Amino acid sequence: MARGGVEPFVAKLRRKDVARCAELERRLFPTDDPWPEGAFTAALDRGDFYVGAYDPADSLIGYAGLAFVARGPRAEAEVHTIAVDPEVQGGGVGKKLLRRLLDRADEERAQVFLEVRTDNEAATALYRRHGFEVVGVRKRYYQPSGADAYTMRRPVRSAEQEGGAV
């Protein structure tokens, strides 16, 4: 739950918020090459699917991004990032952001891949609860820290998993 006990809302990431994204990146990922503003702008320019979590005062408290690497009958997407302001972590913001990315992937009937630090147990558990499984390990994936990453995959959702919708 966000500051003040009020639920955040998730909406399309606004260009005016890329500076805040870069600020959060530097704070959250200082040893793993945090993305600068330009990386977020480039992702938006490419048409990647980015959303923000906003508190009731309309301040960005988290963000997440998804890119489609293949469309059609073998659609595939990659989660580029999910990040939540440390002041509100543990309150479900990350779950809301992930759910929105997965809803978008499900619209395209895409399997989804992501990388996560092997020592990030909270994130790994969140991904497992949403149907991801570890399919590999990338040694020294995060630089310059040299931290390892799990590659995780979530299969295409079946009609039964989607409540019978086709």
Side-chain angles (χ1 to χ4, degrees):
M1 194 158 297
R3 298 175 196 129
V6 179
E7 286 291 322
F9 65 94
V10 175
K12 183 177 178 181
L13 183 68
R14 303 172 302 208
R15 286 185 183 277
K16 74 177 190 171
D17 292 322
V18 298
R20 173 73 170 139
C21 291
E23 173 192 330
L24 285 171
E25 282 277 313
R26 289 188 301 272
R27 189 170 172 197
L28 293 164
F29 312 116
T31 62
D32 288 322
D33 196 21
W35 282 22
E37 288 181 41
F40 289 98
T41 300
L44 294 174
D45 288 347
R46 278 192 307 272
D48 293 345
F49 183 73
Y50 273 69
V51 293
Y54 298 90
D55 69 12
D58 204 33
S59 297
L60 184 76
I61 58 172
Y63 55 88
L66 182 78
F68 287 92
V69 295
R71 303 265 184 177
R74 294 180 185 249
E76 186 176 304
E78 296 176 344
V79 173
H80 279 178
T81 187
I82 296 178
V84 176
D85 186 323
E87 293 179 25
V88 296
Q89 285 181 358
V93 175
K95 179 180 177 179
K96 280 180 173 268
L97 289 166
L98 177 60
R99 220 22 275 151
R100 186 60 193 103
L101 296 184
L102 296 178
D103 287 347
R104 179 68 186 101
D106 290 347
E107 290 170 10
E108 297 287 330
R109 302 198 51 77
Q111 71 176 326
V112 183
F113 289 87
L114 59 80
E115 273 78 32
V116 61
R117 284 178 64 120
T118 56
D119 62 357
N120 190 341
E121 294 174 13
T124 302
L126 172 68
Y127 299 140
R128 286 184 190 279
R129 286 192 305 271
H130 284 83
F132 284 87
E133 62 185 354
V134 173
V135 295
V137 176
R138 293 181 183 235
K139 295 291 187 184
R140 301 188 51 77
Y141 178 78
Y142 291 100
Q143 295 297 321
S145 72
D148 296 342
Y150 290 128
T151 297
M152 299 184 81
R153 179 181 66 90
R154 177 180 169 260
V156 175
R157 304 296 286 182
S158 70
E160 295 81 32
Q161 291 168 311
E162 295 174 9
V166 177

